[in-house]
Amino acid sequence: KQWYQRRVRAHDYVLGQLPPLSENTSVVQLTERQLERMTDITNDQGVMAVFDRAKELPKTTRMPLIIWLDRIRNAGNAGAIIRAAAGASCLSVIFSPESCNIWCPATLRASAGAHYMIPTYQNMSLEEVCRSLPENWQICLLQTEKSCRGSPGNLPASPYHAMQLTQPTLMVVGGEATGITEDVMRLIEGFKGDVTNIFIPIIHPLDSLNVGMASSILIYEMMKQYGSIKLSSEGQEVLRASEIARQHCRLGTARGVSTEVSDLVPELEKIFPPHKEGDEEETDLEPINFN
């Protein structure tokens, strides 16, 4: 009885946290067993929803980046890519016929609702996508460094930070184990625009990064280069500081000398003045009571 009362209180609390619902939305209370039969999660949160697929998406300026997934069968990775692409306001995410289902529950959970923020397409071949691309688009093949070096066609390979991502781009993402398939590589050989293998450098001997993580890195590298990010003054200062550090390390490596952090202090202090006593800003925030 006590367990049931706790469950009812949790249910009432969750309903109280929902935003105002439309008149067409109904709320139904289920038993524990009914909920278990309707969800594929072992430890669910006690709430589920049934809704239509997105018909209209938010109107916004989108970065000219299309992501095509080549046989990405892990729904968690696919959802993470959709989420990152939506956060960067990319044009679209397209699933190959051999990839997982865009609308399966695991993909939806991993995307955290990003399906309703970015156009997504299922069962589109790369040939269909390439036919619709304008002439000024380039193709980037995101693979591991090992796969890049061994790919057919003698395509150039570049680490992501050295790649020019300032023009419209189709990013082809291969699986962590299989990479980009041979059929896709043969198709790309006939593409008239620029095609480049691109990889995320890994210092320690790992086989690869998670494909969702690797895709997110490249998405936001293009966002940075393309100029979609409007940094605050604090963000610009951090970016300038990181650029000074990068130039310092590159110069030290070229001269064959060690690059000590202490050598950077004079330059960085021009951006971030040293803290002095009495510089603390007054705040009217109340202390948090954790009791």
Side-chain angles (χ1 to χ4, degrees), residues 2-151:
Q2 291 179 350
W3 175 87
Y4 178 76
Q5 290 175 341
R6 287 198 301 270
R7 186 74 178 185
V8 170
R9 286 199 298 270
H11 172 269
D12 292 341
Y13 171 79
V14 170
L15 288 181
Q17 302 303 307
L18 293 176
L21 303 176
S22 67
E23 296 179 355
N24 299 327
T25 303
S26 58
V27 179
V28 179
Q29 186 169 353
L30 304 176
T31 65
E32 190 80 14
R33 180 159 302 198
Q34 287 174 326
L35 191 60
E36 288 178 355
R37 293 175 63 184
M38 296 177 68
T39 180
D40 60 348
I41 307 175
T42 303
N43 298 312
D44 63 83
Q45 297 178 352
V47 170
M48 65 183 304
V50 180
F51 43 82
D52 294 327
R53 297 182 182 181
K55 296 179 180 179
E56 293 184 5
L57 296 170
K59 294 181 179 180
T60 180
T61 302
R62 296 195 177 275
M63 181 172 64
L65 174 61
I66 296 174
I67 302 157
W68 187 79
L69 307 185
D70 182 20
R71 302 189 185 187
I72 303 299
R73 297 188 173 96
N74 184 290
N77 284 334
I81 294 172
I82 293 175
R83 186 174 183 177
S89 194
C90 297
L91 274 178
S92 62
V93 180
I94 302 174
F95 284 44
S96 69
E98 297 83 6
S99 293
C100 65
N101 192 316
I102 291 180
W103 291 96
C104 75
T107 311
L108 284 167
R109 287 195 299 272
S111 75
H115 286 65
Y116 289 81
M117 302 175 189
I118 183 173
T120 55
Y121 303 95
Q122 183 89 53
N123 297 330
M124 282 189 68
S125 68
L126 185 61
E127 185 176 8
E128 293 178 89
V129 177
C130 288
R131 278 202 305 263
S132 64
L133 289 181
E135 294 182 357
N136 63 329
W137 280 63
Q138 65 177 344
I139 295 180
C140 290
L141 310 176
L142 179 58
Q143 305 192 77
T144 64
E145 185 173 0
K146 181 179 179 181
S147 297
C148 285
R149 305 300 184 193
S151 64

